[in-house]
Amino acid sequence: MTIAAVRTHRLTAPLHTPFVTALRRTTTVDTLVVEVVDTDGRTGFGEAPQVWQVTGASIDGSEACVRQLLGPLLTGRDPDQLVARCTEVQRAVVGNEAAKMAVDVALHDLAARRLGVPLVRMLGGTALVVPTDVTLAAGEAADLAETAGKRHAEGFDVLKLKVGTDAAGDLDRVRAVRAAVGPDVRIRLDANQGWTPREAVRVICGIEDAGLDVELVEQPVVRWDLDGLAWVSDRVDVPILADESVFGVRDLVEVIRRRAADLVNVKLAKCGGLHPARTLLELATAHGLGTVVGSMMESEVGIGAAASLVAAYGTTAVPDLDAAWWLARSPVRGGLRYEGASVVLPDAPGLGITSVTEAKVQDAG
Ligand SMILES: [Mg+2]
């Protein structure tokens, strides 16, 4: 039994609502879906989301990496030696975490299908329902308050506000959202690197003094400024969550060493898939850091993998898995669905995805 082919699908899927952060604005999910096919005709799916401003990954770059390197590396090899295959993928190329994620997730999906169990079972868990927050795109206070009320009515009780586009107005934005949803909804902030360290301390202390009860603040300062991140963490009570500052294990070691953050946001597209993501979760836990599993703007393929990871390993804070909820329609057949504030995984082998629609297919090996 060997891997017979690795195929790529270039996919652009429209959102029902524009997604806006301090780093970018998008109205589509742009991603490369990868299929790893065995000689029995079973298929595992993975994806490599394009996010120029966060990971630098593009569909073209990920496709070149899969077609020229990772596809040929895997073809003819035994897919049941999952750890060996994933380790080879991680070592085969520098960077290219999104392409590695796509292939790593496809290998895991295929392995679970070959065992006839949901991916979560193969990862060591049984839950098929995972909670998620929902993001409120960056905007003005009144619009944010209105959207917050709408999302709360739809069943979401953890709201993630995108701030950091204008430090002077961010306190008012949080105040407006808290007033709109009342005391029982959890509010977390993501500044996406948008504040200076001084701005971050000013805004967060303002939020604390106003008693607005914010659960955590994600990536207040620019990703490379770990001293700045530590400086902020030292001066505020609200827990600080490192996102863009931590891609892989060495980044997390540095955050731990400098006590730069209280929690880490683990994303498959930053670290290169489920194999390294498990290491990050275990490393964070071993050092007393809190954990969140999040995603880029991804389809049901990547979110299904991240939700399966959470279902098996757990996180200390509610995960951030709403990306596929933003899609106007699903670009795949099968896979997860959203029910209120929950991601519901299918009780089917692997990710439960049977095909990709709306995509252009290429054979990579
Ligand atoms: Mg973030």
Side-chain angles (χ1 to χ4, degrees):
M1 171 54 48
T2 60
I3 293 168
V6 178
R7 297 192 186 111
T8 59
H9 307 245
R10 300 170 67 95
L11 180 70
T12 293
L15 306 181
H16 54 65
T17 308
F19 183 81
V20 188
T21 76
L23 290 170
R24 68 184 193 127
R25 178 184 196 277
T26 184
T27 56
T28 53
V29 164
D30 304 294
T31 192
L32 183 79
V33 176
V34 171
E35 267 185 56
V36 175
V37 185
D38 69 13
T39 45
D40 284 342
R42 290 191 190 86
T43 298
F45 292 94
E47 77 173 293
Q50 171 171 289
V51 201
W52 292 107
Q53 296 86 346
V54 183
T55 58
S58 65
I59 289 180
D60 284 343
S62 296
E63 188 171 46
C65 183
V66 173
R67 289 174 63 77
Q68 293 175 31
L69 197 78
L70 302 180
L73 178 76
L74 292 171
T75 307
R77 309 299 299 283
D78 180 355
D80 291 330
Q81 290 176 6
L82 181 61
V83 173
R85 294 295 85 77
C86 288
T87 305
E88 287 161 6
V89 165
Q90 294 304 321
R91 289 179 181 166
V93 57
V94 173
N96 285 277
E97 284 80 9
K100 290 175 184 170
M101 166 200 178
V103 171
D104 167 292
V105 168
L107 284 167
H108 278 83
D109 185 26
L110 178 61
R113 278 166 207 262
R114 291 174 54 74
L115 293 169
V117 296
L119 177 55
V120 59
R121 289 297 296 272
M122 203 191 64
L123 294 174
T126 56
L128 292 171
V129 180
V130 172
T132 181
D133 64 9
V134 71
T135 298
L136 305 186
E140 290 317 310
D143 301 332
L144 281 171
E146 189 190 331
T147 310
K150 220 186 277 178
R151 297 293 171 256
H152 182 32
E154 288 165 359
F156 290 102
D157 52 7
V158 184
L159 303 180
K160 171 164 157 173
L161 268 64
K162 290 292 192 181
V163 293
T165 49
D166 142 50
D170 280 335
L171 179 58
D172 286 340
R173 291 181 175 90
V174 180
R175 202 191 303 272
V177 169
R178 176 56 78 201
V181 297
D184 297 333
V185 170
R186 216 172 304 165
I187 296 175
R188 45 175 69 168
L189 308 184
D190 188 355
N192 284 111
Q193 316 178 51
W195 295 326
T196 66
R198 285 187 201 289
E199 283 173 341
V201 170
R202 200 178 309 133
V203 175
I204 297 168
C205 289
I207 286 165
E208 289 171 355
D209 292 346
L212 294 174
D213 189 20
V214 163
E215 177 198 13
L216 56 86
V217 174
E218 182 167 345
Q219 198 64 45
V221 302
V222 70
R223 64 187 165 78
W224 45 262
D225 188 8
L226 292 189
D227 290 333
L229 193 63
W231 191 85
V232 174
S233 292
D234 265 355
R235 283 161 180 76
V236 299
D237 287 332
V238 174
I240 300 297
L241 168 62
D243 182 6
E244 291 96 319
S245 288
V246 177
F247 274 49
V249 169
R250 284 174 206 87
D251 300 328
L252 181 54
V253 167
E254 204 49 32
V255 163
I256 290 166
R257 205 178 63 75
R258 300 194 202 192
R259 297 185 176 275
D262 304 283
L263 309 97
V264 60
N265 193 341
V266 174
K267 297 180 177 174
L268 304 183
K270 292 189 299 177
C271 69
L274 291 162
H275 189 66
R278 279 175 285 186
T279 308
L280 284 168
L281 289 176
E282 285 172 0
L283 180 62
T285 303
H287 288 269
L289 256 75
T291 52
V292 171
V293 169
S295 74
M296 302 300 164
M297 289 308 282
E298 296 169 21
S299 79
E300 285 80 354
V301 180
I303 299 298
S308 301
L309 177 71
V310 172
Y313 281 75
T315 51
T316 64
V318 169
D320 178 24
L321 299 174
D322 62 325
W325 173 87
W326 290 72
L327 290 166
R329 58 184 178 276
S330 175
V332 300
R333 288 198 184 85
L336 65 84
R337 63 192 159 82
Y338 287 88
E339 239 181 62
S342 296
V343 176
V344 182
L345 292 161
D347 192 3
L351 294 167
I353 291 166
T354 54
S355 64
V356 181
T357 58
E358 306 179 32
K360 194 174 140 199
V361 186
Q362 306 236 18
D363 216 322

